[in-house]
Amino acid sequence: MVVYKFGGASVKDANGIRNLASILRQTGGKTAVVISAFGKTTNALEKVLKAWMEGNNGYREYLKEIYEYHQSVAAGLSDEKNNLRKGIDRLFALLTEYLETKKGEDYDYEYDQVVSFGELWSTTLVADYLLSAGHSVEWVDIRNYLITDDRYRDADVLWSESASRIRSRFARSGKQIIVTQGFIGGTAIGTTTTLGREGSDYTAAILANILDAEKVVVWKDVPGFLNCDPKWLDGAVRLEEISYKEAVEMSFSGAKVIHPKTIKPLHNKNIPLYIKSFLDPLSEGTVVTSAPGDAYNIPVFIRKENQMLISVLPIDFSFVMGDNLSLVFHVFMVQGIKVNLVQASAVSINVCVDYEPQRIRNLIEELSKEYKVIYNEDVEIITVMRHTPEAVQKVISGREILLEQKTRRVVRFVVRKEPQN
Ligand code: ASP
Ligand code: MG
């Protein structure tokens, strides 16, 4: 069994789906194919949801645009024999009825009920197309097998329940290809959940772990892990092999190639992860394994934008260690804020987090009851792995450094965002 994952960019139009089919034609064995919503559909569904929750009937117009987009993809793949519009028509009707008859109250819950349709449409259309093109294929509704808790929008996988359901379902299939949804799951009682934005990579890793897959291939519009974002710096090179540890560090630090949660399930079973370009399927890509060769010593540069640096200081000058440390982080956890960098001294705790205005406001309000809180908006984190003095100079010269953290292999800077001109 191998697991393939195709992201939104790879299936944004009829040509992308034909390309997916041709990649599948080159594989012989059993393949689980995990697919995201087409193109930017998840963002578009978020807009529908927001309008609907606000009681704004403009949501219908947004939904119509999404419908027409999917219809045009289907039309681009249809011939006289197959009618690829029917499958997605049925699902659009379901969502339309839901939105017409229900009134949303719990945002996170409704998010999962509504936004999950992106993956249901994409997988239905792709599976129907593959079938019409003569593939041995089956569509699986992962919500019945990948079981999660009911923390909507950020659900946690219930591993043992999922493992037994997924194993028996996939073993039962006599088809060569199983097409299923990334990003979504279901509770044990059958309510739809989602795993967090960009969570389809994670789905692929979960399936691979549970099914003891030989490998996972994530098909991307980049040739693999690069040592920097080419939109940011010149001279990007592809990394042929990296370790699980480096892959986690890179994605946690802000490299957008794969979702940070993807690595753990693969590492635990020593399953290699390939990042390959769907535009050039025969090229090598990057392989992530436990023990890559030491061939690489080139520095890796990563930037994480839209950060905020928060400093928490005890009012009475008590040390921040021990109790204070655990109290402060408890507040971050309760507010659902992910911490990207921490530095603690005797009298302050400095924390870098994603800039999410609403959550941050609540956080600061909570923390201010016990502590003095100061913060800097508009900062970013720059990470250099396998650093050298020249490499560091390349990315931080001329920047205002607010904080620096250094180990032998990795150096991280919190810097003020460059002024736009
Ligand atoms: N469609 C979802 C998103 O855009 C999941 C994914 O693409 O991985 O966040
Ligand atoms: Mg996506």
Side-chain angles (χ1 to χ4, degrees):
M1 166 76 76
V2 303
V3 179
Y4 279 2
K5 184 263 172 171
F6 289 90
S10 68
V11 287
K12 67 177 190 308
D13 53 25
N15 277 337
I17 295 166
R18 278 191 208 99
N19 184 49
L20 171 153
S22 98
I23 290 173
L24 285 173
R25 224 166 282 125
Q26 285 151 33
T27 66
K30 249 195 159 173
T31 310
V33 180
V34 174
I35 301 179
S36 304
F38 290 160
K40 303 258 179 267
T41 300
T42 304
N43 293 347
L45 279 165
E46 285 182 348
K47 252 173 83 180
V48 170
L49 176 80
K50 184 166 178 288
W52 178 68
M53 292 290 297
E54 287 165 357
N56 167 2
N57 280 334
Y59 84 80
R60 294 196 183 111
E61 197 48 44
Y62 299 148
L63 184 60
K64 191 162 155 253
E65 276 170 31
I66 303 175
Y67 176 71
E68 279 161 8
Y69 166 46
H70 283 76
Q71 286 299 326
S72 79
V73 177
L77 295 167
S78 292
D79 54 33
E80 308 85 70
K81 290 191 297 295
N82 64 24
N83 183 355
L84 298 173
R85 293 155 177 253
K86 267 200 250 153
I88 49 176
D89 265 349
R90 190 175 43 80
L91 287 163
F92 268 94
L94 266 181
L95 177 58
T96 305
E97 191 192 313
Y98 185 86
L99 296 172
E100 292 293 338
T101 54
K102 269 211 57 168
K103 196 174 146 359
E105 258 144 37
D106 174 351
Y107 187 86
D108 289 352
Y109 170 84
E110 298 298 354
Y111 183 99
D112 289 2
Q113 310 318 305
V114 173
V115 172
S116 54
F117 272 88
E119 272 69 15
L120 297 173
W121 296 324
S122 65
T123 51
T124 299
L125 185 47
V126 168
D128 287 352
Y129 172 70
L130 291 174
L131 193 64
S132 77
H135 290 265
S136 162
V137 60
E138 181 170 15
W139 180 87
V140 165
D141 186 340
I142 203 69
R143 293 175 298 174
N144 300 324
Y145 306 97
L146 201 168
I147 304 306
T148 70
D149 63 11
D150 60 2
R151 189 172 150 120
Y152 299 105
R153 278 184 80 182
D154 191 22
D156 273 326
V157 176
L158 303 181
W159 280 88
S160 71
E161 183 63 24
S162 299
S164 67
R165 293 201 196 190
I166 288 170
R167 278 192 200 115
S168 72
R169 180 64 186 84
F170 280 63
R172 176 148 52 85
S173 172
K175 305 292 187 202
Q176 188 218 331
I177 297 167
I178 292 180
V179 170
T180 196
Q181 305 78 33
F183 174 58
I184 71 177
T187 62
I189 56 162
T191 314
T192 304
T193 56
T194 66
L195 307 176
R197 283 302 308 261
E198 308 301 330
S200 294
D201 295 340
Y202 183 41
T203 304
I206 296 164
L207 294 182
N209 175 296
I210 288 174
L211 296 165
D212 289 306
E214 247 166 76
K215 64 173 175 186
V216 173
V217 184
V218 174
W219 296 94
K220 299 278 306 180
D221 55 0
V222 291
F225 267 104
L226 305 178
N227 79 322
C228 63
D229 176 356
K231 288 187 208 122
W232 174 36
L233 298 171
D234 292 335
V237 295
R238 176 174 57 88
L239 304 167
E240 283 171 29
E241 271 185 56
I242 58 173
S243 66
Y244 292 120
K245 186 168 163 226
E246 285 181 306
V248 171
E249 275 177 334
M250 285 175 71
S251 34
F252 183 79
S253 303
K256 293 195 188 84
V257 181
I258 51 160
H259 192 287
K261 277 172 141 179
T262 313
I263 299 297
K264 183 173 187 286
L266 301 179
H267 169 261
N268 291 356
K269 289 250 176 120
N270 216 354
I271 298 168
L273 166 67
Y274 292 79
I275 315 293
K276 283 163 84 91
S277 165
F278 62 79
L279 301 165
D280 186 8
L282 296 178
S283 69
E284 304 245 323
T286 297
V287 57
V288 184
T289 61
S290 55
D294 230 4
Y296 274 102
N297 248 325
I298 43 170
V300 176
F301 305 94
I302 306 146
R303 178 169 61 156
K304 199 173 181 88
E305 296 173 281
N306 287 324
Q307 298 295 298
M308 185 165 175
L309 180 64
I310 301 176
S311 302
V312 184
L313 315 142
I315 292 164
D316 59 1
F317 241 72
S318 60
F319 296 131
V320 294
M321 296 304 156
D323 289 354
N324 277 318
L325 215 45
S326 92
L327 286 173
V328 167
F329 285 110
H330 184 71
V331 180
F332 279 81
M333 202 193 72
V334 170
Q335 298 296 332
I337 293 180
K338 291 187 180 125
V339 170
N340 296 325
L341 180 147
V342 184
Q343 195 168 62
S345 75
V347 288
S348 74
I349 307 170
N350 302 296
V351 182
C352 227
V353 300
D354 291 345
Y355 183 61
E356 296 177 279
Q358 183 59 49
R359 289 192 171 173
I360 301 283
R361 227 171 288 136
N362 296 344
L363 174 90
I364 291 178
E365 200 183 303
E366 257 327 286
L367 286 173
S368 300
K369 291 179 186 160
E370 298 286 336
Y371 302 94
K372 180 167 176 223
V373 181
I374 49 184
Y375 54 87
N376 276 286
E377 295 176 28
D378 287 337
V379 305
E380 51 194 47
I381 304 176
I382 291 180
T383 303
V384 185
M385 291 165 56
R386 312 163 180 171
H387 56 85
T388 62
E390 302 75 53
V392 169
Q393 268 315 304
K394 180 172 168 177
V395 281
I396 60 141
S397 94
R399 305 296 298 265
E400 184 188 347
I401 299 169
L402 303 174
L403 187 158
E404 176 176 342
Q405 230 173 32
K406 190 166 175 181
T407 65
R408 236 183 324 158
R409 250 172 10 88
V410 183
V411 59
R412 309 179 82 195
F413 300 93
V414 178
V415 297
R416 209 177 289 284
K417 198 176 120 188
E418 274 178 326
Q420 236 83 38
N421 42 24

